[in-house]
Amino acid sequence: MKIVINVLASIFLILGLAFTILPMDTLALLPIGVAIALAAISYFLINKKKLKWEKYLLIVSGILVGVVLFKFYFIKNEVAVDKKFKEKRIEVQKQNIKDLEGLE
Amino acid sequence: MAKHKIFLFVTFCLTTFLLPAQVKIKPGEHLVYTASYYMSGMQTDFAQITLKTNNVNTSDKTYLNLFLQAVTYSKWDSYFKIRDIYESYVDPNSLRPSLYKRSVFEGGYTKTEKYMFNKDGKTVHAYSKRKSDPEKNQYFHKGWNSTDIVSALYKLRTLDYQNKESGALYPISIVFDEKEINSTVKYLGKEKIHAGPLGYVDCYKITLYSQAKAMKGKAGNYIWITADSRRIPAYFKFHIPVGTGQLKLTSIK
């Protein structure tokens, strides 16, 4: 039972790590939260020999929570300056006026 | 598909009120929204949506350019880059379109469309090109009141909600993907919401039912428009199979 819970917690932690690396913002907290809950159940509630593994799961989960919250609060969303897109837009605008003239 | 639903929904919220328009769309308007995905109270912001209006002069006429642009934030560009433009050139008073253009770039998928609306109001000359397929050139017929997707969004704002009762249903028709799509808008009454830079404001709340494949039978798509003379679309919320999508107003000029 303990091993099953630890394995599940590890899977959710890996998912949480992937979401943290990807730009998922606070969505990453969902799998990390599940990982923390499962690791906590395994460590605190199941009365068997406490393994180091659960401790590591909890520590890494905590670090990931910190990273996610830091990214969410301190890294602002920005739109990249896309020169090609802007140049294409100018061409399209000129063409649009030609099309409108053609309609009249 | 979800992204197409977003744009379909956003621009389908139109009512066919028969009262004369009380709000005029002015040139020089610039609205910016953040598009987000929500699930279980958590969110991810993925794109910026911009709505702009400008006057465009030709040798004979002045058109109002209604412009909608969707751009992913730089953090998402490496994974799924979006550069979409939807724009329409309309009569400044009636918002009847003469020219509609759509340019889609989504994760490498490209599509361009151009609709030239005949002066009879019933025929559209459509050009479309998808990825590396050959360009399609066709005519199709539409109803007199059918309009393009961008014009529909702006026209929505010009209508008189003040004298309408909650629960009123109105049919609308929009041309999209070379097809006429019939939808129904339901006015749900007034609601006070937080509208970003506008603070807490009273808004008209409406919802959409559509025959479009992406939205058929689905509820939970709403738009809130400020109940003042400017009629700013303050907030959008739309249904996705898991979670919800939202557009929040972040900047207004």
Side-chain angles (χ1 to χ4, degrees):
Chain A
M1 176 74 172
K2 196 173 179 72
I3 294 171
V4 169
I5 291 177
N6 284 349
V7 167
L8 277 174
S10 304
I11 291 169
F12 277 102
L13 186 64
I14 291 168
L15 194 59
L17 177 64
F19 276 31
T20 304
I21 294 168
L22 291 170
M24 292 293 201
D25 294 336
T26 54
L27 278 180
L29 294 177
L30 292 173
I32 294 170
V34 174
I36 289 175
L38 290 171
I41 288 168
S42 178
Y43 188 78
F44 294 109
L45 296 181
I46 296 180
N47 290 327
K48 281 192 176 175
K49 182 183 171 187
K50 291 194 189 318
L51 303 171
K52 281 185 186 174
W53 187 240
E54 297 112 30
K55 260 194 204 166
Y56 293 147
L57 285 174
L58 287 168
I59 291 167
V60 173
S61 299
I63 293 169
L64 289 181
V65 167
V67 171
V68 167
L69 294 176
F70 178 83
K71 282 170 70 177
F72 182 69
Y73 286 110
F74 294 106
I75 297 178
K76 298 296 169 198
N77 292 321
E78 280 174 351
V79 170
V81 175
D82 198 329
K83 259 188 177 176
K84 260 190 187 176
F85 185 63
K86 281 188 173 177
E87 283 162 11
K88 193 182 170 195
R89 175 73 197 135
I90 293 168
E91 281 174 30
V92 166
Q93 279 176 312
K94 288 178 185 168
Q95 182 59 45
N96 289 348
I97 292 176
K98 283 186 190 166
D99 288 335
L100 287 167
E101 298 273 15
L103 279 173
E104 289 155 14
Chain B
M1 185 60 123
K3 291 171 189 67
H4 288 168
K5 277 181 64 175
I6 290 169
F7 290 115
L8 275 173
F9 168 67
V10 162
T11 57
F12 279 2
C13 292
L14 172 69
T15 160
T16 56
F17 288 89
L18 298 176
L19 289 169
Q22 294 190 342
V23 175
K24 199 173 167 181
I25 302 297
K26 292 175 187 162
E29 187 182 78
H30 189 138
L31 306 174
V32 179
Y33 300 83
T34 292
S36 310
Y37 171 70
Y38 278 79
M39 187 165 74
S40 302
M42 305 298 162
Q43 73 176 74
T44 181
D45 298 334
F46 61 88
Q48 183 179 84
I49 311 294
T50 304
L51 295 175
K52 290 195 290 192
T53 60
N54 281 306
N55 275 338
V56 170
N57 298 314
T58 61
S59 52
D60 265 354
K61 207 177 160 177
T62 297
Y63 295 91
L64 185 63
N65 176 219
L66 309 176
F67 177 85
L68 186 155
Q69 176 180 277
V71 176
T72 38
Y73 290 119
S74 53
K75 64 184 181 184
W76 274 102
D77 282 348
S78 310
Y79 304 100
F80 194 87
K81 186 174 178 178
I82 294 175
R83 297 289 186 269
D84 289 356
I85 290 178
Y86 293 68
E87 63 180 328
S88 187
Y89 292 83
V90 303
D91 179 278
N93 296 311
S94 65
L95 298 186
R96 189 166 286 282
S98 294
L99 175 68
Y100 161 77
K101 279 198 170 177
R102 175 187 175 200
S103 167
V104 165
F105 178 93
E106 295 174 2
Y109 171 81
T110 60
K111 182 170 183 177
T112 55
E113 274 181 340
K114 179 169 80 175
Y115 295 166
M116 298 175 82
F117 292 81
N118 195 299
K119 283 177 184 169
D120 66 8
K122 294 179 187 169
T123 317
V124 178
H125 190 178
Y127 303 84
S128 68
K129 184 170 172 23
R130 187 164 43 170
K131 290 196 279 190
S132 53
D133 296 346
E135 186 179 74
K136 279 198 290 182
N137 182 342
Q138 60 181 325
Y139 287 87
F140 66 91
H141 293 285
K142 66 168 190 74
W144 172 251
N145 279 327
S146 293
T147 188
D148 67 83
I149 204 163
V150 182
S151 305
L153 171 63
Y154 280 88
K155 200 161 186 180
L156 170 71
R157 299 168 52 192
T158 69
L159 302 171
D160 179 21
Y161 296 100
Q162 208 164 350
N163 301 317
K164 296 300 169 187
E165 294 205 357
S166 174
L169 292 175
Y170 298 88
I172 60 166
S173 181
I174 295 179
V175 288
F176 188 75
D177 274 344
E178 295 98 57
K179 287 189 291 289
E180 209 168 3
I181 300 170
N182 295 317
S183 305
T184 306
V185 172
K186 186 176 181 180
Y187 173 54
L188 299 174
K190 261 187 174 181
E191 200 171 289
K192 197 162 197 153
I193 63 162
H194 189 268
L198 300 174
Y200 280 96
V201 289
D202 283 325
C203 291
Y204 300 117
K205 183 180 177 182
I206 53 181
T207 188
L208 169 77
Y209 305 96
S210 174
Q211 288 182 0
K213 201 174 163 187
M215 298 179 70
K216 201 166 187 174
K218 301 231 168 39
N221 302 306
Y222 305 100
I223 182 170
W224 284 259
I225 298 172
T226 59
D228 57 17
S229 58
R230 293 177 72 178
R231 301 287 175 84
I232 303 294
Y235 183 56
F236 300 80
K237 188 174 179 181
F238 39 88
H239 172 88
I240 291 174
V242 180
T244 59
Q246 298 182 22
L247 297 187
K248 287 183 178 173
L249 184 66
T250 56
S251 165
I252 175 170
K253 288 178 198 168

